[in-house]
Amino acid sequence: MLLIPAIDLKDGHCVRLRQGRMDDETIFSDQPVDMAGRWVNEGARRLHLVDLNGAFAGEPVNGAAIRDIAAAYPTLPLQVGGGIRDERTIAAYLDAGVSYCIIGTQAVTEPEFVTRACRSFPGQIMVGLDAKNGLVAIKGWAEITAHRVVDLAQRFENDGVAAIIYTDIGRDGMMTGPNVEATRALAAAVRIPIIASGGITTIDDVRALAEVADSGIIAAITGRAIYEGTLDFAEGQRLADQLNP
């Protein structure tokens, strides 16, 4: 199971939000490339980049920072989300060296877009499903829909997405631990890989997810914990590797 550092970009800075609120941020760095280098030096084998402004604007806003990271680490797989609403944006990111594009809100409001994107860019499209109490949230978590996470995951499975990134928005940025049971249940309900996100705080949280990784959880994204020091990233990746050789 991979442990993937998150770099959330807002106004050119590396930040973390609490429960997706743009007005509740903590700035950790104003040098995104240097922050990427920190995690690479600690053994990261993939990075999760989010254009927070883009998620609200509906188009890339921090694309320059993402391209700079891709240029600085051309062999490092990058998965990017936030403001990806058309195939032109996907093509531009992939041309810049990004490995995977994550479709979030657009996947829920226009699921046919995922079908088209998977056909045009096979193996390079992920879907981000953010949920609260099992229901999917969109538009930067500002709106809770009536869609059940498992129903949408099964629909996108048929499109051939590379992975589902599942975030429990009640846990994200709150340092309360991941929703292990809900993540395991989702992984068991589909054949495609699940990437867990939200709430990972300590080494015990990594252990808890790694112990159920054989249900189909290939990775876990961590953010605030590794920035605030409640989780040592390198230690967490070593543990995940030991539990899933």
Side-chain angles (χ1 to χ4, degrees), residues 107-128:
V108 182
T109 60
E110 189 190 347
E112 294 79 11
F113 174 56
V114 175
T115 305
R116 297 194 303 271
C118 287
R119 188 179 302 125
S120 299
F121 310 100
Q124 295 184 290
I125 302 300
M126 295 181 175
V127 166

Side-chain angles (χ1 to χ4, degrees), residues 181-217:
E181 181 54 34
T183 306
R184 186 208 60 78
L186 179 61
V190 294
R191 298 183 303 276
I192 50 176
I194 299 297
I195 298 175
S197 176
I200 296 172
T201 305
T202 68
I203 194 73
D204 288 336
D205 295 331
V206 176
R207 183 187 305 278
L209 282 170
E211 287 177 345
V212 297
D214 60 359
S215 62
I217 302 169

Side-chain angles (χ1 to χ4, degrees), residues 16 21 24 46 51 72 74 82-83 98 102 110 118-120 137 140 146 150 152 159 168 220 222 229 235 239 243:
R16 292 299 292 171
R21 294 193 295 268
D24 191 355
R46 184 185 298 185
D51 182 345
V98 168
I102 304 161
E110 189 190 347
C118 287
R119 188 179 302 125
S120 299
V150 66
L152 285 180
D159 287 325
D168 185 321
T222 180
E235 180 186 4
L239 176 63
L243 293 175

Side-chain angles (χ1 to χ4, degrees), residues 5-242:
I7 297 179
D8 290 356
L9 299 163
K10 179 174 181 280
D11 304 329
H13 304 298
C14 301
V15 308
R16 292 299 292 171
L17 306 181
R18 292 184 186 277
Q19 294 187 303
R21 294 193 295 268
M22 289 289 275
D23 60 351
D24 191 355
E25 69 178 50
T26 303
I27 297 175
F28 289 102
S29 173
D30 60 1
Q31 299 293 329
V33 174
D34 291 347
M35 184 59 73
R38 171 185 172 182
W39 302 127
V40 170
N41 291 337
E42 291 197 21
R45 303 198 289 267
R46 184 185 298 185
L47 292 179
H48 177 77
L49 309 179
V50 180
D51 182 345
L52 293 173
N53 300 103
F56 284 86
E59 62 184 7
V61 175
N62 291 282
I66 292 169
R67 290 191 296 272
D68 288 345
I69 293 172
Y73 300 98
T75 63
L76 181 70
L78 304 177
Q79 54 189 53
V80 173
I84 298 176
R85 307 287 170 84
D86 55 53
E87 291 190 33
R88 177 180 54 82
T89 300
I90 295 172
Y93 273 137
L94 297 181
D95 288 345
V98 168
S99 301
Y100 305 98
C101 285
I102 304 161
I103 304 173
T105 292
Q106 195 81 350
V108 182
T109 60
E110 189 190 347
E112 294 79 11
F113 174 56
V114 175
T115 305
R116 297 194 303 271
C118 287
R119 188 179 302 125
S120 299
F121 310 100
Q124 295 184 290
I125 302 300
M126 295 181 175
V127 166
L129 294 179
D130 306 331
K132 187 172 186 178
N133 299 323
L135 297 178
V136 174
I138 59 173
K139 299 179 181 177
W141 302 353
E143 180 180 329
I144 305 296
T145 72
H147 297 290
R148 294 173 63 237
V149 171
V150 66
D151 294 338
L152 285 180
Q154 289 171 342
R155 187 228 190 271
F156 296 129
E157 176 179 51
N158 294 328
D159 287 325
V161 299
I164 296 288
I165 298 175
Y166 170 64
T167 303
D168 185 321
I169 66 174
R171 308 287 183 107
D172 189 77
M174 299 304 290
M175 310 283 279
T176 55
N179 191 333
V180 176
E181 181 54 34
T183 306
R184 186 208 60 78
L186 179 61
V190 294
R191 298 183 303 276
I192 50 176
I194 299 297
I195 298 175
S197 176
I200 296 172
T201 305
T202 68
I203 194 73
D204 288 336
D205 295 331
V206 176
R207 183 187 305 278
L209 282 170
E211 287 177 345
V212 297
D214 60 359
S215 62
I217 302 169
I218 63 164
I221 297 166
T222 180
R224 183 175 290 273
I226 57 174
Y227 289 95
E228 296 193 348
T230 63
L231 172 64
D232 180 286
F233 175 79
E235 180 186 4
Q237 185 61 75
R238 283 194 298 269
L239 176 63
D241 289 339
Q242 291 169 3

